[in-house]
Amino acid sequence: MYPWLEITFNALMARYRAAKLHHGLLFMGVADAGKTQLCHSIAKALLCKSVLAHTHVEAQRPRLFEPDDAFESPHKTAQEACGTCKSCLLIDAGSHPDLHVITTDKSQIGIDAIRQTIAKVTQTSQLSGNKVVIISQIELMSESASNALLKTLEEPTPNTYLLMTTNESQRLLATILSRCEKQTIALPSYDQSCHWLRMLQIPEPSKAALIAHGSSPITYRNELENADSIGFDDFVMTLKGLIDGSDTANRAALKWHFDAPKVAKWLAQHWLEIYKNNKNEFAYENYQACLIASKRMSHPGLNKSLILTSLFTQLRSIQVASFH
Ligand SMILES: [Zn+2]
């Protein structure tokens, strides 16, 4: 569990135990904020036998307080999955019959994937508990897939929870949005990010380095684990060289063409910071140009060095703010 998501997790589990958890939860926010991980933690807790047993005891206990009291102290009533019951072990093994995860490597989630899963959850649960469906990036659903999901959201089957994530909620049907309970998941603060990275024995990044990784410590960690990847410090050094003229755009582009989309993304963040500080329109134009270039360069067959060279050339056209 990412520490910056604990409050949301605890609040939702407190509502589950008060029998007030919505059957369709949509987690919105930028990529790499931890939304999918949160879905998996909630799914595990909803399926855990120990949590279930505890929840039944709570429900049978005479109520000495108003139901809404549970919301005031979510930390006291929340519970994570035990990790040792049959259900938890099956989840860890990736073979729990009542947990259905829909993801796609392609650009679209089709109707077949949604239909097959819905058919499974309309049956009674295999382990006589809850049934959970996790769908990541629901903005990738085709229109027919969206409509099929909408029916389930409108007429939920008992003991079934749909946990969904989206990076682009503006692409979703208004009817889907209105049928879900929406939770916005924010990125952790710089201090929270550093704290989490330190727990992983990863030296804390500078503010600029974290910003270059979309302000996400998860992205930052993933990049570090990629041994072939360009180090951010190296990027900053070269950028300084380009600005003061000790390095050339051509040479830098040749050096980095193998990871050009990432370099373009870092460069985009650099321009965005300049724009935020100076409101310089030229910086904003370059920010957008870098983002477009980063997307284009993900396609094979393009001359990446050439595109990078043109992006780097812009650096000398303006007195840029330095990194700290
Ligand atoms: Zn368990």
Side-chain angles (χ1 to χ4, degrees):
M1 170 77 72
Y2 298 120
W4 61 92
L5 299 176
E6 271 170 18
I7 290 175
T8 307
F9 173 85
N10 289 341
L12 290 172
M13 287 311 292
R15 280 171 45 193
Y16 168 65
R17 292 176 60 175
K20 287 189 170 186
L21 187 63
H22 198 280
H23 65 276
L25 291 170
L26 175 61
F27 298 97
M28 312 190 302
V30 296
D32 275 354
K35 301 186 293 299
T36 302
Q37 177 64 44
L38 178 63
C39 287
H40 281 274
S41 298
I42 294 169
K44 198 168 177 181
L46 293 178
L47 294 169
C48 172
K49 291 285 174 195
S50 169
V51 172
L52 195 67
H54 202 85
T55 305
H56 283 169
V57 171
E58 287 278 313
Q60 285 158 12
R61 206 175 279 165
R63 294 211 88 95
L64 299 172
F65 52 84
E66 289 298 307
D68 280 343
D69 284 1
F71 295 101
E72 287 172 17
S73 53
H75 290 280
K76 287 181 195 161
T77 52
Q79 197 177 338
E80 285 188 47
C82 72
T84 52
C85 71
K86 183 183 176 190
S87 182
C88 284
L89 295 177
L90 280 171
I91 290 176
D92 291 345
S95 54
H96 196 294
D98 297 318
L99 174 62
H100 309 278
V101 182
I102 301 176
T103 51
T104 181
D105 294 336
K106 299 175 193 153
S107 55
Q108 198 176 57
I109 298 172
I111 187 165
D112 288 347
I114 300 289
R115 263 199 195 135
Q116 283 162 13
T117 305
I118 289 170
K120 284 178 198 157
V121 294
T122 47
Q123 298 158 10
T124 41
S125 85
Q126 308 260 336
L127 290 186
S128 47
N130 290 319
K131 295 162 283 179
V132 183
V133 179
I134 297 176
I135 314 175
S136 294
Q137 288 188 274
I138 59 166
E139 71 273 13
L140 298 178
M141 285 190 301
S142 66
E143 202 180 329
S144 49
S146 297
N147 285 322
L149 182 73
L150 189 59
K151 268 192 194 154
T152 308
L153 286 169
E154 284 170 341
E155 299 158 21
T157 41
N159 304 325
T160 302
Y161 294 92
L162 292 164
L163 310 177
M164 298 156 280
T165 75
T166 182
N167 299 344
E168 294 174 75
S169 57
Q170 71 278 8
R171 283 175 61 188
L172 300 178
L173 295 179
T175 40
I176 294 254
L177 281 169
S178 67
R179 291 282 186 271
C180 298
E181 180 187 315
K182 296 172 280 295
Q183 294 273 340
T184 302
I185 301 300
L187 287 163
S189 67
Y190 174 69
D191 288 341
Q192 284 175 316
S193 300
C194 289
H195 176 70
W196 180 68
L197 289 166
R198 273 198 306 272
M199 276 170 26
L200 301 178
Q201 320 269 325
I202 296 173
E204 58 187 65
S206 66
K207 279 192 177 166
L210 196 64
I211 288 169
H213 291 83
S215 298
S216 163
I218 300 174
T219 312
Y220 184 80
R221 184 220 32 208
N222 293 346
E223 285 289 332
L224 276 190
E225 283 174 356
N226 180 0
D228 294 334
S229 129
I230 302 160
F232 185 72
D233 290 345
D234 194 13
F235 169 77
V236 172
M237 283 306 292
T238 306
L239 217 57
K240 281 180 179 160
L242 286 165
I243 293 163
D244 68 25
S246 60
D247 208 344
T248 69
N250 227 336
R251 198 159 51 210
L254 275 174
K255 187 168 72 172
W256 282 336
H257 72 277
F258 70 93
D259 213 355
K262 185 173 90 177
V263 172
K265 249 187 236 165
W266 281 354
L267 212 49
Q269 288 298 338
H270 176 70
W271 285 117
L272 185 63
E273 284 305 295
I274 296 169
Y275 175 71
K276 277 187 197 161
N277 293 332
N278 308 333
K279 293 284 167 280
N280 183 307
E281 287 303 324
F282 179 73
Y284 194 75
E285 282 165 25
N286 277 310
Y287 160 68
Q288 288 187 312
C290 289
L291 283 188
I292 293 166
S294 174
K295 272 193 185 160
R296 274 182 63 207
M297 288 190 293
S298 306
H299 300 289
L302 281 168
N303 188 331
K304 295 184 180 104
S305 304
L306 209 63
I307 302 173
L308 268 189
T309 305
S310 83
L311 295 179
F312 284 144
T313 308
Q314 299 299 324
L315 281 167
R316 296 212 67 193
S317 324
I318 184 173
Q319 284 298 317
V320 287
S322 60
F323 280 96
H324 356 255

